[in-house]
């Protein structure tokens, strides 16, 4: 019995990849290895493992067998070569990009990003002397013009949170490759079930596994997947973290020690998770693995429910724009047909129809009247959730940044859950009567 044949389909891979029941107890599920550290049989073994000359577990900040199952399973589902599991989606975004930027690097990023990613790039990264240029993700010339000699990565979400703007991944990947840098895609909202960025030329994927991968709103986690497509060795001088022999790794380079397949994720884990500390707890890794087992089933239902809710909202007189690609007038509808043939994700936004009354007061009345749908700063939960980005997730963004992300005071984000679609719609209907 193997973990999952290389030719296995999505549903088989999400259940089996990365784990073969075996010693010591033949548990059919991957065990929660709730151990901070691992015993060495001799000092020689400890020395070899610390020098990364011998593979094996040392300390759970660096690696853990439950994390490893999640890493292998998600790498397979994304079509990648290796993955690094970390404590949160925020950590995945931060560490993947830090590992690329090195000292004094520059990143070109879409303006349409999760607010926490904007804060990271625009505030914390600048504190570290790293630079960012934000561009409208549909402005291909903007991506091209933003490139500098110090650029080390392009970054965007495949389907942007909250207005479900679908990225032209192939076009942006092409420009990134012309500039000699990898395209990093945050695939949190789409999930690999709806869209595999590798199929369109992306190089690295990051996830907030907190969302659809876990799927039940119980556990934070994040994953960086190296898709194995970017040839770092074409310009090794750009990536000293991979190519310069380092005292930390016994005076060899990570590229030499771990090869093309593992060098980048080893840099993420052994340097950045090791030094900065955002390790994924084994228990959270276990819950995220459980979530993965039903990803296709859950996401299929999220997609169906979202389509029904979007159609209801679109027809409602108190609702203005509905930013869901299933809506006929949606600017990204044609692109969704190329990138999302199984359907569009269940995270999207809508605006109340214009009125003479104060928009915020109306939004507040509608949100406070909801009974089944919860007001929560999260997405991808099994439950239906709404949020008001301008006062919640994006509250500290400037008016210009909000406008660039397509968010106004009247924008309500919804993450459609797994309840009966009729019940979600009935709740929205009675709440919208207050608009
Ligand atoms: C698209 C996206 N990326 C990253 C994150 C950050 O993930 P986490 O909350 O797991 O740190 C979020 C969180 O909402 C998100 O929506």
């Amino acid at each position: 019995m193997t973990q999952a044949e290389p030719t296995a389909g999505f549903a088989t891979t999400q259940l089996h990849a990365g784990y073969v029941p075996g010693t010591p107890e033949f548990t059919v599920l991957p065990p929660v290895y709730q151990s901070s550290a691992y015993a060495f049989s001799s000092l020689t073994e400890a020395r070899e493992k610390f020098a990364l000359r011998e593979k094996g577990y040392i300390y759970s900040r660096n690696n853990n067998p439950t994390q490893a199952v999640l890493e292998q399973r998600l790498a397979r589902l994304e079509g990648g070569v290796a993955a690094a599991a970390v404590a949160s989606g925020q950590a995945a975004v931060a560490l993947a990009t830090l590992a690329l930027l090195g000292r004094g690097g520059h990143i070109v990023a879409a303006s349409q990003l999760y607010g926490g990613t904007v804060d990271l790039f625009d505030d914390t990264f600048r504190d570290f002397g790293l630079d960012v240029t934000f561009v409208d993700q549909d402005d291909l010339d903007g991506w091209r013009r933003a490139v500098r000699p110090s650029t080390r990565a392009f970054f965007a979400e495949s389907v942007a949170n909250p207005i479900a703007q679908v990225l032209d991944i192939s076009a942006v990947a092409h420009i990134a490759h012309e500039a000699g840098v990898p395209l990093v895609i945050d695939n949190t909202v789409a999930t690999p079930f709806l869209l595999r960025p590798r199929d369109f030329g992306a190089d690295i994927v990051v996830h907030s596994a907190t969302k659809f991968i876990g799927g039940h709103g119980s556990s934070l986690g994040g994953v960086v997947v190296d898709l194995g497509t970017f040839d770092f060795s074409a310009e090794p001088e750009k990536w000293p973290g991979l190519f310069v022999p380092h005292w930390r790794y016994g005076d060899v380079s990570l590229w030499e020690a771990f090869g093309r397949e593992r060098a980048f994720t080893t840099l993420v884990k052994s340097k950045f998770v090791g030094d900065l500390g955002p390790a994924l707890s084994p228990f959270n890794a276990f819950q995220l693995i459980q979530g993965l087992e039903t990803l296709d089933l859950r996401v299929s239902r999220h997609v169906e429910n979202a389509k029904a809710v979007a159609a209801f909202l679109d027809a409602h007189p108190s609702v203005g724009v509905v930013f869901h690609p299933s809506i006929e007038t949606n600017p990204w509808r044609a692109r969704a047909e190329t990138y999302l043939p199984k359907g569009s994700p269940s995270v999207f936004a809508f605006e109340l129809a214009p009125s003479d009354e104060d928009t915020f007061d109306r939004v507040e009345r509608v949100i406070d009247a909801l009974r089944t749908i919860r007001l929560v700063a999260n997405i991808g939960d099994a439950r239906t959730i709404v949020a008001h980005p301008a006062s919640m997730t994006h509250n500290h963004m400037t008016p210009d940044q909000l406008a660039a992300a397509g968010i106004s005071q009247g924008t309500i984000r919804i993450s459609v859950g797994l309840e009966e679609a009729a019940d979600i719609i009935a709740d929205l209907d009675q709440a919208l009567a207050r608009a």
Side-chain angles (χ1 to χ4, degrees), residues 36 113 138 183 186 241 304 330:
S36 310
L113 292 178
D138 283 340
L183 172 62
D186 182 334
E304 283 312 305
N330 184 275

Side-chain angles (χ1 to χ4, degrees), residues 88-90 93 114 117 157 161 186 188-189 208 210-211 220-221 379:
S88 65
Q90 194 67 19
V93 173
Y114 163 63
T117 309
E157 294 172 16
N161 167 9
D186 182 334
T188 298
V189 168
S208 168
T210 315
K211 318 300 185 197
L220 261 76
I379 55 172

Side-chain angles (χ1 to χ4, degrees), residues 299-357:
V299 171
S300 300
R301 177 143 170 169
H302 280 294
V303 163
E304 283 312 305
N305 280 358
K307 210 168 144 190
V309 169
F312 160 78
L313 289 169
D314 190 45
H316 198 286
S318 300
V319 175
V321 194
V322 178
F323 293 100
H324 192 263
S326 64
I327 302 299
E328 198 118 0
T329 51
N330 184 275
W332 302 286
R333 188 181 159 98
R335 200 172 289 160
E337 277 162 22
T338 307
Y339 285 97
L340 298 157
K342 292 184 192 146
S344 293
S346 56
V347 178
F348 62 97
F350 62 96
E351 306 258 353
L352 292 188
S355 138
D356 293 340
E357 211 192 321

Side-chain angles (χ1 to χ4, degrees), residues 112 135-140 143 165-168 332 335:
Q112 295 86 347
V135 296
D136 175 350
Q137 66 181 37
D138 283 340
D139 177 4
L140 297 181
W143 287 98
Q165 189 163 340
V166 183
L167 182 74
D168 189 350
W332 302 286
R335 200 172 289 160

